[in-house]
């Protein structure tokens, strides 16, 4: 089977965005703040938003199952305080849970966390536990910069983040390291901030010793690892200057990259440079880049085509990228599939 | 000939760093502030610092001429105010000028600017003009983030920067877009901040219309363009979503990438994806990554080896990357060479 480890609910019914806009308006005038109960989205609306979008494209492109989390750019952890993020995260996670319940063969959840700038990450744990234990989600998205482009939190190697990591290890779940909307005018959200965050997270791990403290902690770095595979020689050399072990030993038991790279040469570089055990299939479809590439006639984010067209990969290696690695990095996904005889 | 368009004076005599440390100490206690005249470095010291380092490596590796600018990480525009940056830039530029005077066949200058956070870039113009007109420098380094990792300046497309661009157009010089030391704990200087800045600058230009206002303005994005070539499909797709022209037309008459990518697969991707007219040979040697790659037995930053080993490039194409493009992007370099009959 083909598992897409990076999907967001970018096509949620408009009522969700309207509710969020009212929540944001309520920050200035509490009379405008909506109740959670005022958000009403029917199962039929959810079904339609998925069937005509993600599920239609999964069928066209031949992927079977998507790890599905709330829309990344809408997490916007910089908005309001912890209470605001907490309510918003609960709503968004519940919607993903409802999608996974409606389409159990095609979607399984990953949680956004109710992060908020300057707030102890420990506060995220109740929502995290609810999603994993009650909803059956298989991973989380962790935002290394809840300020939205001002980078005011400590690096991921700082003990600040350890309560999250302790819970991840206990529950045996990985985190995709994924920022949200940039509110810094220097950084375009999907064209700069996302990729910069990927590179930044990797380098934070390279300079630190996080995985000595958490040998089983697993990070998935999206968007093909930002700039990292393209500059693999630079990172190997920097590790050497810093007297770190080889990257293979220092980081690659804990860090994985997805295949959200939207052209053939990028995927070819990724699979040439990064060990195949560290590459997980993903498309982030109906995401940052939704158009058709005039050079190929196919959607930019139809990443399966690039894997299929790779002359470097054997069929068994492709299957490892499509399925085997995801089942290893997301053990709760593997368990859920096995429980269904898959 | 082989022109390395990206070299910094990373090996300056220790007296320079000592003077800078005293200048920084003087910010807190003006009694400690040194006079400019207290910095004394002899020609013999300059010669030795170059002959045993950059020039020795240029001879070993077979490059002929380096465009040489002050050490990027030492620019540290976030330190002090405009007066501090102004004094420091003048000192650093003058040292590069002395090196170029001592070794006129092997070095030609590019200027650092006396940028300072929150200060009008117009204030940089006297130093810029001095370097180009009096020293014969052929380009400048422009720091899009003088705050050092807090990104408090407007994007490069903002009119804030136009006084610099007007002068660049008048003098027909390009700018290498190059940040300095990060003082944000999230960003490792050479492993994250440099690459992020490259990606960020490209995306700023993509979203804007800067080159409509300045059709002949030229930016050189170092470090192989950060994440850009690896994600070329993403950027093509984002331009399409934003209703911009094809990148070829929108940006590639004005933006160039260097070859500071420290492994063969990275260089192969760069030369496969980016039009050859937009690639300029560079190594940033004796820079961020100074070691020997155990996988090849050669220095990581010996980028000529990767160009030479490329099976995609004909000898004429390699020469275009080594020399032709540099002479086109740096017309004052071309004029200086022609004046010597080269």
């Amino acid at each position: 089977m083909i598992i897409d480890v990076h999907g967001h609910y970018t096509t949620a019914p408009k009522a969700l965005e309207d509710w969020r806009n009212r929540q944001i308006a309520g920050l200035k005038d509490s009379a405008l703040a909506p109740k959670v109960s005022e958000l009403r989205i029917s199962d039929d609306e959810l079904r339609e938003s998925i069937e005509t979008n993600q599920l239609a494209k999964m069928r066209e492109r031949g992927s079977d199952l998507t790890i599905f989390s709330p829309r990344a750019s809408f997490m916007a952890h910089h908005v309001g305080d912890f209470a605001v993020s907490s309510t918003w995260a609960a709503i968004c996670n519940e919607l993903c849970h409802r999608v996974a319940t409606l389409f159990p063969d095609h979607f399984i959840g990953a949680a956004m966390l109710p992060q908020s700038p300057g707030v102890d990450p420990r506060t995220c744990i109740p929502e995290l536990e609810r999603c994993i234990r009650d909803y059956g989600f298989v991973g989380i998205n962790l935002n290394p910069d809840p300020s939205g482009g001002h980078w005011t939190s400590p690096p991921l190697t700082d003990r600040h983040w350890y309560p999250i990591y302790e819970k991840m290890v206990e529950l045996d779940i990985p985190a995709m390291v994924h920022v949200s909307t940039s509110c810094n005018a220097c950084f375009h959200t999907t064209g700069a901030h996302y990729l910069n965050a990927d590179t930044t997270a990797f380098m934070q791990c390279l300079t630190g010793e996080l995985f000595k403290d958490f040998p089983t902690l697993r990070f998935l770095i999206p968007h093909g690892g930002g700039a990292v595979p393209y500059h693999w020689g630079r990172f190997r050399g920097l590790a050497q200057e810093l007297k770190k072990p080889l990257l293979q030993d220092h980081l690659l038991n804990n860090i994985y990259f997805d295949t959200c790279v939207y052209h053939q040469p990028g995927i070819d570089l990724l699979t040439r440079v990064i060990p195949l055990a560290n590459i997980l299939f993903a498309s982030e479809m109906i995401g940052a880049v939704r158009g058709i590439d005039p050079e190929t006639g196919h959607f930019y984010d139809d990443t399966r085509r690039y894997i299929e067209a790779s002359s470097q990969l054997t069929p068994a290696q492709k299957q490892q990228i499509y399925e085997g690695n995801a089942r290893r990095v997301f053990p709760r996904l593997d368990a859920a599939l096995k429980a269904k005889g898959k």
Side-chain angles (χ1 to χ4, degrees), chain A:
Chain A
M1 73 186 302
I2 295 184
I3 301 166
D4 184 334
V5 300
H6 188 173
H8 300 296
Y9 196 7
T10 51
T11 61
K14 181 77 166 38
L16 181 68
E17 185 174 355
D18 292 342
W19 190 94
R20 173 65 160 175
N21 287 338
R22 289 178 60 205
Q23 188 193 34
I24 293 169
L27 296 174
K28 289 196 175 161
D29 177 357
S30 60
L32 300 174
K35 293 179 187 167
V36 173
S37 59
E38 290 175 59
L39 174 63
R40 290 187 204 90
I41 298 176
S42 70
D43 282 356
D44 280 349
E45 288 173 292
L46 290 183
R47 263 191 214 98
E48 199 207 338
S49 75
I50 293 292
E51 278 176 349
T52 59
N53 290 299
Q54 283 84 359
L55 194 55
K57 287 212 156 34
M58 288 165 68
R59 286 180 173 136
E60 278 169 34
R61 301 179 187 183
S63 68
D64 300 295
L65 176 68
T66 296
I67 299 181
F68 205 55
S69 58
R71 187 171 188 172
S73 63
F74 274 29
M75 298 192 298
H77 293 118
H78 63 278
V79 171
D81 57 10
F82 173 73
V84 168
S85 275
S86 186
T87 305
W88 178 235
I91 285 174
C92 292
N93 285 326
E94 195 202 8
L95 280 183
C96 288
H97 172 54
R98 287 175 62 197
V99 168
T101 306
L102 290 170
F103 301 97
D105 290 335
H106 298 296
F107 295 92
I108 195 161
M112 75 173 266
L113 300 179
Q115 296 176 246
S116 194
V119 176
D120 188 337
R122 194 182 309 270
T123 55
C124 295
I125 289 179
E127 178 67 16
L128 186 163
E129 289 211 287
R130 191 167 71 94
C131 289
I132 305 297
R133 295 194 200 275
D134 299 349
Y135 291 165
F137 284 14
V138 297
I140 59 171
N141 295 342
L142 179 65
N143 183 347
D145 173 31
S147 77
H150 296 292
W151 292 91
T152 54
S153 292
L156 290 173
T157 48
D158 192 276
R159 301 189 74 86
H160 171 81
W161 301 98
Y162 276 26
I164 302 274
Y165 302 154
E166 285 160 7
K167 190 54 67 175
M168 286 169 60
V169 168
E170 178 194 326
L171 296 173
D172 203 11
I173 53 167
M176 182 159 67
V177 179
H178 203 308
V179 288
S180 185
T181 291
S182 161
C183 51
N184 182 326
C186 286
F187 303 131
H188 183 275
T189 295
T190 55
H193 189 42
Y194 281 17
L195 302 175
N196 292 351
D198 303 334
T199 309
T200 299
F202 184 84
M203 193 63 199
Q204 289 175 355
C205 294
L206 191 156
T207 55
E209 298 292 346
L210 178 59
F211 304 122
K212 280 193 178 159
D213 282 354
F214 296 100
T216 63
L217 189 68
R218 296 181 300 284
F219 286 156
L220 177 58
I221 302 191
H223 323 108
V228 172
Y230 174 48
H231 286 283
W232 197 239
R234 185 179 189 89
F235 289 99
R236 289 196 291 108
L238 285 168
Q240 195 170 315
E241 303 257 325
L242 294 165
K243 316 285 186 209
K244 301 292 181 185
L246 293 176
L247 291 183
Q248 176 77 46
D249 303 318
H250 183 46
L251 298 179
L252 292 189
N253 296 309
N254 306 88
I255 290 183
Y256 303 83
F257 302 97
D258 80 10
T259 64
C260 294
V261 179
Y262 296 152
H263 64 153
Q264 190 70 47
I267 290 289
D268 290 347
L269 177 124
L270 175 67
T271 57
R272 179 176 170 193
V273 168
I274 302 298
L276 294 182
N278 295 76
I279 303 175
L280 277 66
F281 175 72
S283 72
E284 202 175 3
M285 67 158 68
I286 318 187
V289 181
R290 303 184 182 194
I292 290 175
D293 185 346
E295 294 185 8
T296 66
H298 300 294
F299 286 97
Y300 288 101
D301 64 6
D302 186 357
T303 52
R304 189 182 169 205
R305 286 185 181 272
Y306 312 129
I307 307 285
E308 284 302 306
S310 167
S311 57
Q312 301 166 46
L313 300 170
T314 66
Q317 289 173 326
K318 290 177 186 173
Q319 203 51 40
Q320 185 184 356
I321 291 172
Y322 286 144
E323 177 181 2
N325 293 337
R327 294 177 82 130
R328 187 162 43 81
V329 173
F330 291 85
R332 285 175 175 265
L333 168 65
D334 186 52
L337 290 171
K338 283 185 175 143
K340 293 183 178 184
K342 291 184 183 175

